[in-house]
Amino acid sequence: MAENLNLFTSTQEVVKEALNKLGYDEAMYELLKEPLRLLKVRIPVKMDDGTTQVFTGYRAQHSDAVGPTKGGVRFHPMVSEDEVKALSMWMTLKCGIVDLPYGGGKGGIICDPRQMSMGELERLSRGYVRAISQIVGPTKDIPAPDVFTNAQIMAWMMDEYSRMDEFNSPGFITGKPLVLGGSKGRDRATAEGVTIVIQEAAKKRNIDIKGARVVIQGFGNAGSFLAKFMSDLGAKVIGISDAYGALHDPNGLDIDYLLDRRDSFGTVTTLFENTITNQELLELDCDILVPAAIENQITAENAHNIKATIVVEAANGPTTSEATKILTERGILLVPDVLASAGGVTVSYFEWVQNNMGYYWEEEEVQEKLYKKMVDSFEAVYTTATTRNIDMRLAAYMVGVRRTAEASRFRGWV
């Protein structure tokens, strides 16, 4: 059978299997296999040279059965309708796994922010909010940062929404600067969540984090924070990569030095001569492998060559379903993306809660609450996988989709 590399259809396949295992009928799958809403918008932006360029944007809302939808907005040349739909479904699963009162949402604009000025990015960000304003808001759908978007872009979007709403609405969006109602610890939350599940997974495999050999593919926001956290815990980060290549040192890389040298897009390998390929990086002999870059990196082609004991997905969809089967059969513990990278949405939820009550927590409190959520969620998924004798991905989908299915049933939708 040909391997399914389409994120949307492969997500649908696992959701279908999870609902079957939970005993739901075809009607529930029909409801949850596509987002409830998908808005496609055209955004005219006056460019610095005086011309007008029209950008295409999307906002998908997978399900609001449990509560408002929640999910990031990415600015990327490869954004597509299918990708946004798949990612909104993943957000539903993530929110279900960490037990948040949200459904999944996702947005994106087809653009290359690396080729745009600050002024152009601001006009695009504000134009997007105006275009989707009817379907978003603190009680409807709450955006957040994603690929190539950051706290500054969130600030512009919040300001635009507040102007339209005619009062300050910090709860409209998360991932904001602290001074505008952001939460302490939000910028590092995804990597903190991944670090917590790596520690939990290591316990299950009797691996001591101190001295453990770790390979991280990707050196962007999640990957670089993660490399720092792992090296601070005493692990040996023996390999990292960015879009241009990878670095390997069996004795451990100097992470602080690399963080110091990288540019704002997480690029650092161009400064070195003896680099290896991303493919070689994935197949290095190590204890823990963390794909933190892009989708479809571990496939049926290379899954047999993976030498890690534990694979933790910090990126979205880095392992195909075929590869998941191969890794599980080989006894490798695979911690799926919908669980591993749920730290970001968890602290986004904390930010929204703080905005709603107008009272803000210290970083220790945020970390404590995040730690509890991630440990409980890992345990729930791991227990489901072992008692039902299934892989961790299917177990995570079962835990993740259960809340939305139950809420849809109680509402009388199915």
Side-chain angles (χ1 to χ4, degrees):
M1 184 183 105
E3 199 171 3
N4 186 359
L5 299 180
N6 180 309
L7 279 189
F8 183 49
T9 50
S10 59
T11 302
Q12 286 179 321
E13 284 167 13
V14 191
V15 166
K16 184 168 197 166
E17 200 180 340
L19 287 168
N20 280 343
K21 283 234 185 283
L22 290 167
Y24 285 100
D25 60 9
E26 191 64 25
M28 187 63 80
Y29 172 66
E30 281 301 312
L31 174 66
L32 299 180
K33 73 175 187 183
E34 294 254 354
L36 286 178
R37 272 172 227 99
L38 176 73
L39 184 62
K40 179 180 178 180
V41 294
R42 303 281 282 152
I43 311 153
V45 175
K46 186 78 86 204
M47 305 305 276
D48 290 348
D49 63 4
T51 61
T52 297
Q53 210 170 316
V54 183
F55 294 90
T56 299
Y58 300 97
R59 187 71 191 172
Q61 298 173 341
H62 176 243
S63 173
D64 53 14
V66 172
T69 50
K70 178 93 193 74
V73 180
R74 54 179 54 187
F75 286 8
H76 198 276
M78 302 303 285
V79 164
S80 70
E81 195 172 300
D82 268 4
E83 178 189 53
V84 171
K85 290 196 314 194
L87 293 170
S88 74
M89 289 172 80
W90 279 355
M91 287 306 298
T92 293
L93 295 164
K94 280 186 191 182
C95 293
I97 288 166
V98 284
D99 207 20
L100 306 180
Y102 288 147
K106 205 71 177 191
I109 301 175
I110 303 169
C111 67
D112 190 347
R114 291 166 293 191
Q115 310 297 323
M116 296 169 74
S117 71
M118 287 297 270
E120 290 167 343
L121 282 172
E122 178 176 353
R123 294 190 287 278
L124 177 62
S125 303
R126 291 179 182 276
Y128 178 69
V129 171
R130 289 194 299 274
I132 64 167
S133 61
Q134 293 110 318
I135 67 164
V136 294
T139 56
K140 294 185 193 171
D141 180 15
I142 304 128
D146 202 288
V147 177
F148 289 154
T149 56
N150 55 23
Q152 175 60 74
I153 286 169
M154 299 305 104
W156 289 326
M157 288 185 175
M158 186 203 85
D159 182 64
E160 192 63 29
Y161 186 83
S162 297
R163 285 184 190 188
M164 293 167 67
D165 226 20
E166 295 184 354
F167 68 88
N168 192 37
S169 306
F172 156 64
I173 206 161
T174 59
K176 303 178 293 293
L178 284 179
V179 68
L180 293 181
S183 175
K184 289 181 176 170
R186 173 63 188 88
D187 55 344
R188 31 190 300 174
T190 304
E192 291 235 348
V194 177
T195 305
I196 295 164
V197 300
I198 287 175
Q199 290 173 289
E200 292 305 299
K203 285 178 201 164
K204 302 289 184 197
R205 284 288 190 267
N206 297 319
I207 293 172
D208 189 351
I209 290 289
K210 229 177 173 44
R213 296 162 306 150
V214 180
V215 169
I216 300 170
Q217 182 197 30
F219 210 54
N221 184 38
S224 58
F225 268 124
L226 188 61
K228 175 78 177 130
F229 294 159
M230 293 315 293
S231 91
D232 287 353
L233 285 169
K236 275 202 301 199
V237 181
I238 62 167
I240 62 107
S241 73
D242 56 31
Y244 301 98
L247 303 174
H248 172 225
D249 181 346
N251 301 314
L253 296 157
D254 183 342
I255 297 302
D256 288 330
Y257 174 73
L258 295 177
L259 288 173
D260 208 33
R261 302 293 302 276
R262 75 186 192 121
D263 69 15
S264 59
F265 293 106
T267 306
V268 72
T269 60
T270 44
L271 305 172
F272 297 85
E273 284 185 356
N274 49 348
T275 55
I276 58 171
T277 65
N278 257 295
Q279 208 47 55
E280 289 169 319
L281 177 95
L282 293 171
E283 297 176 9
L284 287 174
D285 192 358
C286 63
D287 300 304
I288 300 157
L289 170 62
V290 186
I294 51 172
E295 60 263 8
N296 298 330
Q297 295 301 294
I298 303 175
T299 64
E301 295 285 298
N302 64 356
H304 289 289
N305 304 330
I306 302 296
K307 296 179 188 71
T309 307
I310 299 169
V311 174
V312 179
E313 299 182 331
N316 287 323
T319 316
T320 64
S321 31
E322 284 295 299
T324 300
K325 286 192 186 75
I326 295 167
L327 295 179
T328 307
E329 280 162 12
R330 291 183 56 212
I332 294 170
L333 177 58
L334 174 74
V335 183
D337 45 15
V338 285
L339 165 60
S341 63
V345 70
T346 303
V347 177
S348 267
Y349 165 64
F350 297 161
E351 181 176 332
W352 179 74
V353 168
Q354 292 168 81
N355 294 154
N356 287 344
M357 64 181 178
Y359 177 76
Y360 292 82
W361 307 333
E362 288 307 318
E363 187 149 359
E364 293 72 50
E365 190 172 348
V366 174
Q367 284 177 326
E368 239 168 73
K369 286 178 159 64
L370 174 63
Y371 182 79
K372 181 165 174 21
K373 279 273 188 212
M374 295 305 295
V375 171
D376 290 353
S377 306
F378 179 88
E379 213 40 63
V381 172
Y382 189 81
T383 305
T384 304
T386 44
T387 52
R388 294 199 177 233
N389 198 19
I390 53 177
D391 64 63
M392 288 277 284
R393 188 180 316 283
L394 181 54
Y397 273 57
M398 285 172 68
V399 173
V401 82
R402 184 184 277 127
R403 269 182 75 114
T404 301
E406 274 181 23
S408 303
R409 206 189 63 225
F410 276 122
R411 283 180 183 269
W413 293 357
V414 174

